[in-house]
Amino acid sequence: MEIYARAIQILLDHAQTQAGPELQTICERARTHRPIAWDFSILGAESVGGKAEAAVPAVGALTCAHMALILIDDLLDEDPRGLHNQLGSGRTTNLASALFGLGLAVVLQSNIPQRQRSAAALSELILRTAYGQDLDVQNPRTEEAYWAVTKAKSSPYF
């Protein structure tokens, strides 16, 4: 099975995903909607002499983070295509939180040697992006403020 497909299967097999229809649906959707830079974890593993397969938990975790960030961004931007229009803002927020938790659980429950360090990095991504999202909802009024938002909101993912 291809690495990305294995990562999605890990998400789908998790007990919390099995218990929540919305979480299951969004993880199923991820099969055909790969996030930007989904393969960065694979490239990182290979660049230090590791095997691509070792990156499966990280690929799953970053996929969760990406989906959660899209849910939040669409909600905050009032995107007419966003899932919040179907689920409501409360349920969408809860789903985003569940995705963040699922990503962390996948890393912490994996057998990768650096799982604590990986979980800390994922937590940092979530925290820094939340700060950037908060700057964004304050509607930056200058070019300098715009670039500060862009750096804070997008850079942690990459």
Side-chain angles (χ1 to χ4, degrees), residues 13-77:
D13 290 343
H14 193 277
Q16 197 61 42
T17 305
Q18 295 287 320
E22 282 81 18
L23 192 54
Q24 194 169 25
T25 299
I26 200 164
C27 288
E28 277 290 346
R29 185 176 187 275
R31 287 186 194 273
T32 58
H33 294 77
R34 292 180 188 215
I36 295 170
W38 71 271
D39 58 346
F40 279 16
S41 300
I42 297 167
L43 298 172
E46 292 175 336
S47 73
V48 295
K51 295 189 182 295
E53 294 78 26
V56 169
V59 170
L62 286 176
T63 298
C64 285
H66 185 261
M67 291 187 294
L69 294 170
I70 287 175
L71 290 174
I72 292 167
D73 192 62
D74 285 354
L75 177 64
L76 294 174
D77 293 345

Side-chain angles (χ1 to χ4, degrees), residues 126-142:
I126 295 165
L127 289 167
R128 289 179 58 204
T129 304
Y131 171 71
Q133 287 285 13
D134 188 55
L135 291 177
D136 191 21
V137 297
Q138 296 175 46
N139 296 319
R141 303 209 187 285
T142 66

